Amino acid sequence: MRATLVILLSLPAFAQSDKITRGKYIVEEVSRCQECHTPKLPDGQFDRSKWLKGAVLNVQPITPIKDWHKTSPDITRPGRLWQKWGERALLDYFTTGLTPKGTPAGPPMPTYKLKPEDAEAVVEYLKSLQ
């Protein structure tokens, strides 16, 4: 059985012009996307030059889990995921937890169901990354 992580946030209110700041907060401080989507340097620090550009996952289950991913995708705007899905599908994914195929992302990706305004902020932040 797959767990669904529903995030109902009471985040600090950000002005509309600060949507990227709100998205950065959700991505980096709440969801901690960098833990899987950013490679690490030999000293264990995140490689800031490859921020959210995808990485080889250094974790795997003791007991095999069907469809477990060994890598995470680049989730920045130049990445293949953006090219394949597009902005609308990413917004839908972050609000419904379902990919364009109508399925949850494969493990170990948790299922997020954000409020529309939080999903928009996350997408705006990811769009801002090169």
Side-chain angles (χ1 to χ4, degrees):
M1 186 164 136
R2 187 176 165 112
T4 298
L5 179 62
V6 177
I7 298 180
L8 300 173
L9 303 173
S10 294
L11 299 176
F14 289 107
Q16 182 68 15
S17 63
D18 289 334
K19 198 178 271 193
I20 291 172
T21 302
R22 182 182 184 88
K24 181 177 180 179
Y25 175 77
I26 295 168
V27 167
E28 296 183 10
E29 301 300 327
V30 178
S31 300
R32 305 277 310 155
C33 300
Q34 66 272 17
E35 297 293 337
C36 292
H37 291 274
T38 301
K40 290 188 177 178
L41 298 167
D43 66 1
Q45 298 297 310
F46 292 111
D47 184 344
R48 300 294 297 191
S49 71
K50 297 177 182 171
W51 193 251
L52 301 176
K53 297 273 187 197
V56 173
L57 300 176
N58 61 357
V59 296
Q60 65 182 51
I62 294 171
T63 304
I65 294 176
K66 186 178 188 292
D67 299 325
W68 184 272
H69 292 266
K70 293 183 174 143
T71 61
S72 63
D74 178 343
I75 57 174
T76 65
R77 189 175 198 169
R80 206 176 89 198
L81 185 69
W82 272 84
Q83 307 314 309
K84 185 176 175 184
W85 286 14
E87 186 172 333
R88 180 75 250 163
L90 283 166
L91 285 167
D92 290 346
Y93 172 74
F94 288 124
T95 56
T96 67
L98 300 176
T99 69
K101 292 180 181 179
T103 60
M109 181 67 183
T111 299
Y112 292 103
K113 293 184 180 180
L114 303 176
K115 294 188 289 184
E117 58 270 23
D118 291 334
E120 289 172 17
V122 166
V123 168
E124 287 302 312
Y125 171 61
L126 294 175
K127 278 175 33 179
S128 76
L129 300 175
Q130 296 301 319

